Amino acid sequence: MLTQNSLLRARKRAVLSVAALSMVLLTGCTQSISEGPAAQEAASVAVFSHVHGMSVDPDSGRILLATHEGLFDATADEPQKIGPTIDLMGFATAGKDEYYASGHPSAETGLPDPAGLIRSTDGGSTWEPLSLQGKSDFHALAVTGESVIGFDGTLRVTDDTVTWNTIDAGIQPYHLAGSPLSQVVLATTEQGVHRSEDGGKTWTLPQDAPVLLLTAFASKSVAVGVEPDGAVQLSRDAGRTWQKTGGVVTGQPAAIAATGDDGGQVRIWVATSTGISHSTDDGATFTEKTP
């Protein structure tokens, strides 16, 4: 069985090796928390690295990568920078261009380091501080219909984005996943994928829960996950039970996203150290997009 150290080493390998993506991007300096004209004029060629999170808009199909250098739209062959430079360690979407994040802002943003919980309501172009500025760096973050859950060495839950409650669940989450459509949260740990049905306040470990590195919700009931070795699993009961899909992604998994509905086919994206793997057949097979 993998230990917590094994999971942490897997994350470190993903963070360090994802630079091999070597995607060429247009980036620039930021004069404030929003991307200003001066930043656009000073744009220069750079390489992004350290993918920490991923999301795919089910309507537009836009692929978002939360990275060490900020947020990028990776839908096209040449990914585009969105908003200011913030090392987005934790990243979660709530739908309709509303994102939550945490991490380390560049000095130009004017935000304290660490950022605590921040929010964007314009698709990542600008960010506003909400709580725990200068105190918390959430490396795992999830959003449900009524709460935000974060792990900064301590598991915390907020229902109003300002006041946080400490949760003594006896787990050390490596990754958190939620959906704005429900109150279910998934936490990957060395014991397996734990579940919460009340927005992260209480937790259980289902029987035969697999050890997964990353998970994501495709819909209210459908979740996907990837093992440290790249094998993909699928759950159609919101993480109670899991089955291998038969698909395996190439490279060290760094982030995962999925779209679909409760009864239909699921599309899965996995950012790895070698590119972005994409499946349109419930994870049975994957094709890889490389720079």
Side-chain angles (χ1 to χ4, degrees), residues 17-40:
S17 61
V18 79
L21 285 167
S22 299
M23 294 181 178
V24 177
L25 306 168
L26 294 178
T27 61
C29 300
T30 48
Q31 301 302 316
S32 65
I33 192 170
S34 62
E35 191 82 2
Q40 296 170 5

Side-chain angles (χ1 to χ4, degrees), residues 111-284:
L111 284 173
D113 186 5
L117 182 69
I118 57 178
R119 176 176 60 195
S120 173
T121 56
D122 57 9
S125 295
T126 62
W127 294 86
E128 62 173 326
L130 296 175
S131 55
L132 299 180
Q133 276 66 57
K135 297 179 180 179
S136 286
D137 175 16
F138 292 111
H139 281 215
L141 202 63
V143 174
T144 69
E146 298 178 9
S147 57
V148 177
I149 307 91
F151 183 72
D152 59 358
T154 299
L155 190 60
R156 306 180 192 275
V157 176
T158 179
D159 293 334
D160 60 8
T161 72
V162 176
T163 304
W164 292 81
N165 295 316
T166 298
I167 306 300
D168 185 12
I171 61 174
Q172 297 280 313
Y174 172 77
H175 184 260
L176 295 167
S179 167
L181 301 175
S182 77
Q183 282 294 89
V184 177
V185 188
L186 303 179
T188 63
T189 75
E190 62 183 79
Q191 296 85 18
V193 181
H194 284 71
R195 293 182 76 252
S196 172
E197 295 186 350
D198 55 10
K201 297 177 178 64
T202 61
W203 295 82
T204 60
L205 180 64
Q207 186 176 5
D208 300 323
V211 176
L212 301 177
L213 190 66
L214 308 162
T215 61
F217 279 93
S219 65
K220 183 176 181 179
S221 300
V222 178
V224 299
V226 60
E227 300 176 19
D229 64 0
V232 176
Q233 297 202 28
L234 180 69
S235 171
R236 292 195 179 273
D237 53 13
R240 292 185 182 88
T241 61
W242 296 83
Q243 289 186 332
K244 289 181 180 291
T245 65
V248 179
V249 298
T250 302
Q252 178 64 45
I256 190 171
T259 63
D261 55 55
D262 289 348
Q265 199 167 59
V266 180
R267 300 179 68 186
I268 304 168
W269 292 259
V270 183
T272 75
S273 56
T274 58
I276 297 177
S277 294
H278 180 215
S279 172
T280 59
D281 55 8
D282 296 343

